[in-house]
Amino acid sequence: MKKALGILIIVVILAGVGLGLFAPFFERKPPQIQLLSPKGYINAKSIIKLSLTDRPTGLKEARVILQQGKRSWHLYTGTFRVGTYSLRIPLMVEPAKLGLKEGPAVLLVRATDRSFWNLGRGNTAEAKFRLTVDYTPPLVELLDNTRYIYEQGAGAAVFETSEDAVSAGVQVGKLFFKAYPQKSHKRTLWAVLFGIPLYAHSHKARLVVRDRAGNTRIVSIPFHVIPRKVVKETITISDDFIEKKVYPLLPPEDRDLPPIQAFKKVNTVVRQQSNERLSQLAAQSSGLCLWKGPFIQMKGSKVTATFGDERTYMYKGKVIGHSIHLGYDLASVAHAPVPAANRGRVLFTGFVGVYGNVVLIDHGLGLVTLYAHLSSATVSQGQQVEKGQIIGYTDSTGLAGGDHLHYGVFLSGHPVNPMEWWDKRWLRDRILAVLKPYIR
C-alpha cells in the first residue's frame, strides 16, 4: 500500500514538473525579427525599420548593432514593459556622420522575451542582415536639351549617368516625366520627353536621378518658356444635353439628381476619374522610339477647340461649372475615318467616362496619342499600327456635344499641346535634334 502511494506521489510530482515546463510562462519559442527596410542598402540618410514580435510571454529587451570590419556602432538598446507583444523600431542612420565607409556592413539585432525558460533568462533571437553602405549619388551629365519651349508644349533632354543609376526623369512642379535608358560600358545614356503645361504651375524642370540605394542627384535643365495665349470659351448647357449626355454618365444611384447637380457631378467627379484613368493608361509607354517623322492631323478636319482652352458652362443664365480642355477638337463629316497619327502600338481601346469610346496608341519614349468620342475602334489592344492607318470613326460618345474627334498627346501620362507634333520643323529642331544620340 505504501509502495503504491509512493508511486502515485512520484507520478503527481512528475506531472506537475512537466506541466510547469510546458506552461506558457516556460515557452521556448524565441522572438521573431524582421527587417522591413531598407532592402539591401543604406544610403546617405536611411531609416532602418525593424519589426519585433513575441507571444505569449511578450518582448523584454532588444539591442541593434551595426558592424563594419572590426568596428561596431550601437544604434539601439531598449527594455520594454510587460505586455509588449509587437514593436516597430525606426532608426535614422547617416553613415558618413557615423564614420562608416562605403561597402558591406552587417546589421545585428538581438531580442529577448519574458519566458521563464533558461533559468528565467528567457529566449533570445539573433538576426544578421547583410547590407551595402552607399551614400554617393550617381554621376549625371546633361548632354543636350530643348532650349525654347512653348508654354503648354514639350521639350526633350538627353543625359548620361554612371552605371549605378536605376531610375531617372524630369520633375516639373508635381509632374514627373520618365526617362528611358540605354546601357553601355560603365555609362548609361537616357532620353526623356517632358512638358510645361499650365497645370504644372511651374516653368522649372530638373533632372532627378536615383541609384539602387536611393541616393538622388538633381540637375537643373536650362531653357526659356515662350508664352501662349489662353483661349476662354463660354458654353451653354441645355436640358436636352443634360438628359441625353449627362445622366447616362452617372452611376445609377445618382440619376435622380437635379439637372445642375447632375452636371456638376459629371463635370467634376466623372471628369476627374476619366482624366486619371487616361493618365494611368498613357503612363504605360515603351522605351522604344516607335514613331517616325511628324504626326498627322485627321484629313479634312477643322480645329474647333485647342489645348488649354478655359471653358465656362452656363445653364439658364447661370454659371454651373468650369473645365480646361486637354486636347484638340477636330471636326469633319459625321463618322469620319480616324487615322493613327504615327506608327505605334495600340495601348487601349474602350469606354472612358466623359471621353466616350477611345483608342490610345503608344509611340514610345513616354509619348501616347488619344483618339476620343469614337463610334467604334477598328484596332485592338497590342496591335501594331502604321501612320495613317484607320483606327476608328468619329462620333459623339461620352460628353461630346456633336460628332468630332478629341485628339490628345500625353507624355508620361500627362497631357500636353498636340499641335507641335504636327509641325515638321518644330519636331526636327526641338525634339529629334536633341534625341539624335539616343535614337540614331
Side-chain angles (χ1 to χ4, degrees), residues 225-275:
V225 175
I226 305 171
R228 282 191 186 275
K229 184 180 179 180
V230 176
V231 175
K232 298 181 184 294
E233 182 183 15
T234 299
I235 298 174
T236 299
I237 302 299
S238 66
D239 285 317
D240 184 62
F241 180 82
I242 291 176
E243 186 67 31
K244 293 181 179 179
K245 307 299 294 187
V246 173
Y247 280 116
L249 293 175
L250 288 170
E253 63 270 19
D254 289 332
R255 289 178 184 168
D256 58 350
L257 289 173
I260 293 178
Q261 281 72 26
F263 178 83
K264 288 183 176 180
K265 183 72 176 284
V266 168
N267 189 49
T268 54
V269 177
V270 178
R271 185 182 296 280
Q272 181 178 348
Q273 292 171 345
S274 302
N275 287 334

Side-chain angles (χ1 to χ4, degrees), residues 317-353:
K318 294 182 179 181
V319 176
I320 60 170
H322 303 274
S323 73
I324 296 176
H325 193 240
L326 298 177
Y328 259 57
D329 283 350
L330 305 175
S332 182
V333 297
H335 303 294
V338 176
N342 214 313
R343 188 171 60 184
R345 177 181 61 88
V346 178
L347 197 60
F348 174 82
T349 66
F351 189 87
V352 181

Side-chain angles (χ1 to χ4, degrees), residues 38-44 46 66-71 73 93 95-96 99-107 129-136 164 211 213 215:
K39 299 298 183 182
Y41 288 88
I42 296 177
N43 60 25
S46 287
L66 188 60
Q67 299 175 332
Q68 188 178 61
K70 296 181 180 181
R71 299 186 64 187
W73 293 265
V93 177
L100 279 130
K101 297 179 180 180
E102 292 192 311
V106 175
L107 186 71
F129 302 98
R130 299 190 181 279
L131 304 171
T132 300
V133 178
D134 177 1
Y135 46 80
T136 301
D164 57 334
D211 63 17
N215 299 300

